[in-house]
Amino acid sequence: MLMSTPVREDTRLSLWRRARAYAVPPATIETATARRLAGDWAGACAAAGVDLDLAPRTLARTHGTELATRVRADLRRLAPDLLRRHLPRTAPDGLLRPGLTVTLAVYDAHEGGGRKGERPVHLVARTAPAWADAGQRISLALWDGPPAGTDPRGRSPYDPAAVAHPHPHPSRRFRFDLHRHLWDATRAGELRTRSGADRLPALPAAPDDPPGPGWAVDRWAAEARLLLAADGGNPGPVVVRLGARHRLLLTLEEDGRARTEPAPAARRPGGTPGRGPAGHPAAGRRGDAGTPLLPDAATWILPDLALLRAGLVTPDDLHPLVAEALVPGHRHVPGARPAGTADGPRFVECRGSVHRIGLVDGVLVPLDHDPDELRREELLVALSGTPLSCLRAIDEARRRPDCLSGVRERLAHGDTAGALAAVEALLGPGAALRDGPLRQALERAAERKVLHGLYRAGLRATGPEPSSASASASDPDRGRLRRSRSPRYDARAARRRLARRDHPRHALAR
């Protein structure tokens, strides 16, 4: 039986559900919120894993007290945990998009500090490159907009931390200065209107519109007007990025409606088709030199709203500011206990009966065996004997526990405290880890943290290259790795993928 209508499903929901579960834990939100409400914006940033690469006092000497006052006011409004929740992420693990610079605010008119001409100053949030993204930390800095006629990718002399960053200039695709409700605690209430939560979801009305419920088609016209007004109010089309090779031109009509059409294919200098709408006469790389680009936050439906409509999360699972905006009148109730806690002993079948294992003095031990019996069994194991089922269960928990996947997820998203809490809840704070996947995951997290420290200190600007085939193989503990691109590696990887097919290849009768 054929279906009359195609199935519409947002495949990004699984990504965002995974990110929402581990990226910003409730303990981080509570600590950052308490410090922010107390006026300690620096402490709130520290609780949310945000590093500061700016000093308002130094800024007052270089750009004047007026700009320093404006920056300090925005820092007091900043909710770093809310910013971390809304920053762009990548599939399939839901980690922060690496090597990205996002503009939070733009300060156009300010004292030049003795410099010729006034240049805009951007308050930006940066993510580390992929090889140094341990802990998923974010940095706040100031970026001086380049004067006319200079390289737009130039690094600001007032931002020395951007020397090792692959993309220190702000991204056109991600502009949070047009979406302050994604990081400004005082304007979080605008989230309901700007996300379209106060109206029913709309399906595409024209064949050229993108399919699926993941696109915020009904908000494109309003967001395009805000974008054009911020860029000077020049009328013209707006580019909507739908993918790496798919663009739309959004044109606002005089009657208030919007018209979309496919963007012309780009042409490289040699005449070959390129990517994006660069072939359009008005398209360029910069905002006023080409067609404005609709920000990614305005292109897609807000992930929290999509998860809420799909029934994958409850209002209590959302950030308190987000829940207050999307569900008016809802009173946020945080979780009763942190994830990973275990209550009471666990049961194991041992010698034909059910025995208990639990925590005693901070160590996981068998509860139904006396000390003399345990010493005899340990001696038997040392002589290559078979241990008791209780001892085997404890050894397996120390090497490969049931919560290993959750520990890996927390370590990948920078929640080291949550990962250690899950391990201590299972094994106890005084347990010694055996050689195995759990210990390897914790050791790799520590090594990558050292690598991130070298990057932050400016002692390393590139990631380590794999020295062997085993080093370049996929590793769930380390996440994204810099892999070799040699033909030999590609052939070996292709053979490995074909050997692990889920379903055999079937021939079709002709």
Side-chain angles (χ1 to χ4, degrees):
M1 179 178 178
L2 297 178
M3 298 181 63
S4 58
T5 58
V7 177
R8 296 183 178 272
E9 179 183 3
D10 188 0
T11 58
R12 291 160 47 104
L13 292 182
S14 58
L15 161 69
W16 288 111
R17 185 182 184 184
R18 183 178 180 180
R20 293 299 187 257
Y22 296 102
V24 190
T28 299
I29 297 176
E30 294 175 4
T31 305
T33 301
R35 294 180 180 179
R36 174 177 56 82
L37 295 178
D40 184 10
W41 60 267
C45 291
V50 178
D51 300 317
L52 300 177
D53 292 335
L54 56 90
R57 293 183 179 179
T58 304
L59 183 63
R61 293 195 300 268
T62 57
H63 294 76
T65 57
E66 180 183 356
L67 179 62
T69 302
R70 295 170 62 185
V71 172
R72 191 179 289 108
D74 281 338
L75 292 177
R76 292 194 182 101
R77 301 187 188 100
L78 171 67
D81 49 328
L82 185 64
L83 173 64
R84 173 177 292 276
R85 189 178 183 90
H86 290 304
L87 278 179
R89 299 183 177 273
T90 58
D93 43 19
L95 300 181
L96 292 174
R97 182 175 291 274
L100 186 65
T101 300
V102 179
T103 298
L104 302 183
V106 180
Y107 310 101
D108 292 327
H110 60 87
E111 302 175 15
R115 294 177 290 125
K116 294 182 179 180
E118 294 184 353
R119 296 182 293 179
V121 176
H122 296 240
L123 176 64
V124 297
R126 290 195 177 103
T127 59
W131 60 269
D133 63 350
Q136 293 287 281
R137 299 191 68 84
I138 307 167
S139 62
L140 290 180
L142 292 174
W143 183 82
D144 279 14
T150 60
D151 182 12
R153 298 172 64 91
R155 291 166 171 80
S156 170
Y158 301 95
D159 189 7
V163 174
H165 198 275
H167 303 286
H169 58 287
S171 172
R172 290 182 59 215
R173 182 181 168 193
F174 306 101
R175 293 184 55 180
F176 279 23
D177 59 316
L178 302 179
H179 299 267
R180 291 182 65 102
H181 53 278
L182 299 181
W183 62 269
D184 192 337
T186 62
R187 299 182 59 176
E190 301 176 7
L191 187 64
R192 179 173 178 81
T193 303
R194 295 290 297 273
S195 64
D198 54 349
R199 63 180 66 184
L200 296 176
L203 296 177
D208 294 335
D209 290 342
W215 308 96
V217 183
D218 54 340
R219 287 291 306 166
W220 283 359
E223 294 293 338
R225 292 187 181 92
L226 295 176
L227 174 62
L228 294 176
D231 289 347
N234 297 325
V238 174
V239 175
V240 181
R241 185 184 186 276
L242 303 183
R245 297 180 180 273
H246 191 192
R247 306 286 194 275
L248 288 180
L249 287 180
L250 180 68
T251 305
L252 300 178
E253 304 290 351
E254 296 182 356
D255 56 358
R257 295 180 300 177
R259 174 174 52 87
T260 59
E261 58 181 347
R267 292 288 174 179
R268 295 193 178 97
T272 57
R275 295 167 58 179
H280 190 269
R285 296 297 298 173
R286 302 301 299 169
D288 52 5
T291 307
L293 178 64
L294 192 69
D296 190 77
T299 306
W300 294 88
I301 294 178
L302 183 71
D304 290 325
L305 178 60
L307 292 172
L308 198 62
R309 286 174 172 175
L312 299 178
V313 297
T314 63
D316 290 333
D317 298 328
L318 302 177
H319 190 281
L321 295 176
V322 176
E324 184 179 355
L326 298 184
V327 188
H330 173 74
R331 184 176 180 180
H332 185 77
V333 179
R337 62 174 185 173
T341 57
D343 295 334
R346 279 150 283 179
F347 300 95
V348 179
E349 293 186 2
C350 180
R351 293 183 175 180
S353 60
V354 179
H355 289 177
R356 302 168 300 161
I357 58 176
L359 297 177
V360 176
D361 296 331
V363 180
L364 187 65
V365 295
L367 300 179
D368 295 328
H369 297 275
D370 54 59
D372 294 336
E373 183 181 6
L374 293 178
R375 284 194 293 269
R376 291 195 299 267
E377 291 296 330
E378 292 175 356
L379 179 60
L380 179 63
V381 172
L383 298 176
S384 302
T386 302
L388 291 171
S389 298
C390 293
L391 297 180
R392 287 201 304 267
I394 294 176
D395 184 73
E396 182 66 17
R398 292 176 178 176
R399 297 178 187 271
R400 188 187 296 271
D402 296 335
C403 64
L404 180 58
S405 60
V407 171
R408 283 173 171 167
E409 289 285 351
R410 290 179 173 85
L411 291 176
H413 286 278
D415 185 15
T416 306
L420 295 179
V423 174
E424 291 180 358
L426 178 65
L427 305 178
L433 297 181
R434 306 285 178 84
D435 291 337
L438 177 58
R439 182 168 181 171
Q440 293 175 3
L442 296 175
E443 289 177 348
R444 289 193 182 101
E447 293 173 358
R448 290 176 64 83
K449 186 175 182 179
V450 172
L451 191 61
H452 177 78
L454 295 176
Y455 159 75
R456 289 283 303 165
L459 301 178
R460 191 158 197 166
T462 58
E465 294 292 341
S467 58
S468 61
S470 60
S472 61
S474 176
D475 192 337
D477 295 338
R478 298 191 63 177
R480 301 183 302 273
L481 295 177
R482 186 184 298 273
R483 300 184 178 182
S484 171
R485 296 299 181 184
S486 62
R488 181 179 179 183
Y489 171 81
D490 293 339
R492 183 168 58 252
R495 288 195 299 269
R496 188 182 300 113
R497 288 194 297 268
L498 290 176
R500 297 181 179 179
R501 291 178 57 87
D502 295 333
H503 303 284
R505 190 184 300 273
H506 297 282
L508 299 178
R510 297 185 181 273

